[in-house]
Amino acid sequence: PKGGLDLRTRAAAVKGGKTGPAVAPGSIRDSLLWTRIATDSMPADGPKLTDADKDALRRWVLAGAPDTAADVK
């Protein structure tokens, strides 16, 4: 993964990559992933997230980033 960031599991997202934790459960201010998504600097390549997708991510982080689905293999 680019920058060592693996978003396939909650644990990996919280751990983050080379720049530190990607998700700070309960805090969008401290979540690097949210900051990058909200400013459209991520994903760097390909289409940006829709407003609905951004809102879903924001709500997930604020809810404590619950592990609600099976990890992607």
Side-chain angles (χ1 to χ4, degrees):
K2 189 173 182 178
L5 180 59
D6 181 355
L7 298 175
R8 293 178 293 174
T9 67
R10 180 192 188 275
V14 171
K15 179 181 176 188
K18 292 180 182 178
T19 59
V23 175
S27 175
I28 57 172
R29 188 187 77 175
D30 296 328
S31 293
L32 184 58
L33 177 64
W34 168 251
T35 301
R36 298 274 173 88
I37 294 292
T39 60
D40 288 330
S41 60
M42 195 174 169
D45 301 323
K48 303 304 179 191
L49 272 67
T50 65
D51 288 342
D53 290 337
K54 288 179 185 180
D55 186 55
L57 176 63
R58 182 187 63 79
R59 288 184 286 116
W60 177 73
V61 171
L62 288 173
D67 190 2
T68 58
D71 295 338
V72 177
K73 300 293 180 202

